[in-house]
Amino acid sequence: MIEIPRPVGLKNAYDVVVIGAGPAGSRCAKLIADRGLSVAVFEKRAEIGSPKRCAEGIGVKALQRMGYNGNERFVAQYIDGFYLYAPNGKEFVMDYGSPQGCVVERKVFDKFLAYDAAKAGAKVFTKIEVVDLLKDNGAISGVVIKYGEDVFEVKARVVVSAEGIEGKMARKAGIDNTNKLINVDSGYQYEMANLKLKDANKLYFYLGNEIAPRGYIWIFPKGDHVANVGIGIGGGAGVKRKAKEYLDSWIENHPEIFADASVIEENAGGIPVGGLLKDMVRDGFVVIGDAAHTVNPIHGGGMDEGTRAGEIAAEVICECLNREDVSHDALAKFNELWWKERGEKLRRIEKLRQVIERMSDDDLNFLADELTVQDIIDFAGGKNLRKLAKILLRRPKLIKLATILR
Amino acid sequence: MVVKNIPSICLSCGGCVGVCPHDAISLEDMKIIINESKCNGCGTCVIFCPVGAMTLEDKPTNEVER
Ligand SMILES: Cc1cc2nc3c(=O)[nH]c(=O)nc-3n(C[C@H](O)[C@H](O)[C@H](O)COP(=O)(O)OP(=O)(O)OC[C@H]3O[C@@H](n4cnc5c(N)ncnc54)[C@H](O)[C@@H]3O)c2cc1C
Ligand code: SF4
Ligand code: SF4
């Protein structure tokens, strides 16, 4: 057997080790490196960003927050609004009149974030999996990495798990981030070409328990005739078929869009649309992004949320390292800040999801008749939910649901 | 073996890893590996998998953790 040498450039110790080069991890690593600390990022895939598990939609504001102007090579299509369809076909249209979001190419976007981390001085490694945590008196003090068939120990003052849905290190650190079926959407998607879209600069959402129980179907255009066509469904009771089967039937029933379309890529994934964690830290350890379920529970967007969590974590970690206190109690500042800036809002949105997913198609149609497109935008942002509660109170069998919103 | 992965169907999305209540699954080199000594056959991963790439030899037990 050929002897595999140590990974090129690997040191024995870093201030911070980040596990996973998804958006959350790379963003966090960049901001820590910016402050002059030593950071290593370990990514187990051979290619960052691939395969994608994402419909690739993100707001322009989120990109700007990360220092991008929207002209980068990762932008596939600008989005200036959306169509949303109730089970009875009622159409909601939002036209912002200018690009508010875009559909990116994750395979390029994730690399850009990793380039930025590397440029800031973080050391990024691919095809290296973190397989265990080092502990010192109960505190996390580094990681064990697998490089080829060899394992190495790498010390770190703080370890950040940004491992996404498949993350296992948080559990090893004593944080139970197992996704309960009621809190995770089962996602499936095709990237398709030669579609007939009436407007290739808008997102499309289709609701209904028949087509996508406890979830929805989406079309996110990546070009005039190219789009991510996907489905996310609840993992619990009442779901009789696989996400793929639901999507396939729906595509078959819509020849006006798909008659001549081809599949260019196939994706699957789990979307943690709930189960926010009160405590995301341990001594020397922080968990962020999908691994900490920091996803918008109603639309499933996790790039914006994951990178924000990465930003907040970076700030707290640097502060703690400067003060030379990376204990649970010091790092708990991350819990406090994240819950204040993001968590409270996501918790409200999670309640909204709990209401929506308990509704029959008939209830959804009733609701659709009462709402304006602005209401829908507000609700999805966790705002004005009192209005929703009021509408629910008007239908006896929905009164119970109104109490969830409290 | 209680639960089985079908590599020809699996898309290596890692979702089953995240839902397994017994930490019995890992995604290594884009392949799903099941730790037979940890898996108790609860069927959670089977219900979750978007494409049907997890199968149980027997019927799921009633211990599915939702
Ligand atoms: C079908 C679907 C559609 C979606 N659509 C959208 C959308 O339109 N917009 C949006 O914003 N979000 C969307 N999301 C959610 C979004 O994809 C995630 O929220 C986002 O990728 C989370 O980023 P992350 O950095 O936390 O994790 P990930 O992007 O999952 O990155 C984690 C990385 O860590 C690596 N890793 C894991 N464990 C280890 C280890 N032990 N050692 C080394 N490396 C490891 C993985 O290989 C991976 O590269 C969608 C998700 C799905 C499944
Ligand atoms: S959930 Fe299904 S497709 Fe995804 S990794 Fe597990 S077995 Fe494969
Ligand atoms: S059957 Fe249950 S215990 Fe076994 S791998 Fe699947 S989820 Fe885990």
Side-chain angles (χ1 to χ4, degrees), chain A residues 79-338:
Chain A
I79 297 299
D80 64 11
F82 64 83
Y83 294 99
L84 184 139
Y85 298 92
N88 63 6
K90 178 177 174 182
E91 181 186 78
F92 292 88
V93 191
M94 185 65 210
D95 189 343
Y96 291 103
S98 65
Q100 299 292 311
C102 44
V103 176
V104 297
E105 196 70 69
R106 277 292 295 264
K107 285 165 198 164
V108 186
F109 181 60
D110 284 26
K111 278 190 184 164
F112 262 67
L113 289 167
Y115 297 158
D116 286 353
K119 183 87 195 331
K123 188 84 185 165
V124 183
F125 297 89
T126 52
K127 199 81 177 128
I128 294 186
E129 181 178 353
V130 171
V131 291
D132 209 348
L133 298 176
L134 299 174
K135 288 185 189 169
D136 188 359
N137 266 327
I140 308 304
S141 59
V143 295
V144 178
I145 59 168
K146 189 161 168 270
Y147 176 61
E149 289 301 309
D150 296 333
V151 291
F152 299 96
E153 292 189 353
V154 179
K155 291 268 185 198
R157 293 161 75 197
V158 177
V159 172
V160 178
S161 163
E163 301 172 79
I165 190 112
E166 76 213 59
K168 291 170 83 77
M169 294 305 131
R171 284 184 253 192
K172 285 193 193 279
I175 298 173
D176 185 9
N177 64 343
T178 309
N179 292 274
K180 290 219 166 28
L181 277 182
I182 49 159
N183 287 331
V184 62
D185 273 5
S186 179
Y188 184 74
Q189 178 180 269
Y190 296 111
E191 182 169 329
M192 300 179 92
N194 203 19
L195 302 175
K196 290 199 176 49
L197 299 170
K198 64 175 172 183
D199 181 345
N201 293 101
K202 290 197 173 47
L203 305 178
Y204 298 73
F205 301 94
Y206 301 84
L207 289 167
N209 287 299
E210 290 296 317
I211 59 166
R214 292 187 40 214
Y216 63 86
I217 283 174
W218 64 78
I219 301 178
F220 282 18
K222 294 184 79 171
D224 287 348
H225 65 87
V226 180
N228 289 321
V229 180
I231 185 170
I233 59 173
V239 178
K240 298 180 204 77
R241 296 185 293 159
K242 293 285 150 202
K244 175 179 164 57
E245 297 174 85
Y246 281 105
L247 184 63
D248 286 348
S249 332
W250 187 80
I251 287 175
E252 242 171 329
N253 287 331
H254 289 273
E256 74 284 6
I257 308 174
F258 301 105
D260 303 315
S262 290
V263 172
I264 305 303
E265 185 177 320
E266 229 175 295
N267 315 115
I271 314 166
V273 288
L276 299 171
L277 304 173
K278 281 263 167 277
D279 190 1
M280 300 172 277
V281 307
R282 288 294 181 269
D283 293 331
F285 186 87
V286 182
V287 59
I288 59 171
D290 273 22
H293 312 162
T294 59
V295 170
N296 180 306
I298 200 81
H299 59 59
M303 287 190 275
D304 187 9
E305 290 300 336
T307 49
R308 281 185 198 240
E311 288 160 17
I312 300 169
E315 188 186 319
V316 172
I317 289 166
C318 291
E319 208 180 289
C320 290
L321 285 172
N322 280 337
R323 283 195 283 118
E324 306 210 342
D325 180 2
V326 294
S327 66
H328 171 277
D329 291 356
L331 290 168
K333 178 93 182 282
F334 170 61
N335 295 328
E336 191 193 310
L337 289 179
W338 184 83

Side-chain angles (χ1 to χ4, degrees), chain A residues 44 51 53 127 129 165-166 168 171 178-182 184-188 235-237 242-244 267-270, chain B residues 11-15 17-21 23-30 44 46-52 64-66:
Chain A
K44 69 183 186 184
R53 302 163 179 162
K127 199 81 177 128
E129 181 178 353
I165 190 112
E166 76 213 59
K168 291 170 83 77
R171 284 184 253 192
T178 309
N179 292 274
K180 290 219 166 28
L181 277 182
I182 49 159
V184 62
D185 273 5
S186 179
Y188 184 74
K242 293 285 150 202
K244 175 179 164 57
N267 315 115
Chain B
L11 288 168
S12 306
C13 75
V17 180
V19 299
C20 173
D23 199 17
I25 315 178
S26 20
L27 181 60
E28 295 171 24
D29 303 315
M30 290 328 240
T44 308
V46 179
I47 293 176
F48 169 78
C49 178
V51 292
V64 171
E65 297 182 26
R66 291 188 191 273

Side-chain angles (χ1 to χ4, degrees), chain B residues 2-4 16-17 19-25 33-36 38-47 54-56 60-61 63-65:
Chain B
V2 212
V3 73
K4 232 188 174 151
C16 53
V17 180
V19 299
C20 173
H22 302 283
D23 199 17
I25 315 178
I33 314 282
I34 295 150
N35 182 334
E36 287 175 47
K38 284 186 172 180
C39 171
N40 76 346
C42 71
T44 308
C45 57
V46 179
I47 293 176
M54 282 290 198
T55 55
L56 273 174
T61 61
E63 292 171 52
V64 171
E65 297 182 26

Side-chain angles (χ1 to χ4, degrees), chain A residues 328-355:
Chain A
H328 171 277
D329 291 356
L331 290 168
K333 178 93 182 282
F334 170 61
N335 295 328
E336 191 193 310
L337 289 179
W338 184 83
W339 271 94
K340 199 169 115 223
E341 289 175 31
R342 309 304 309 162
E344 294 305 339
K345 175 173 155 174
L346 295 189
R347 179 74 197 110
R348 283 199 301 278
I349 302 174
E350 187 180 359
K351 288 181 177 179
L352 169 68
R353 178 180 63 79
Q354 289 165 352
V355 168

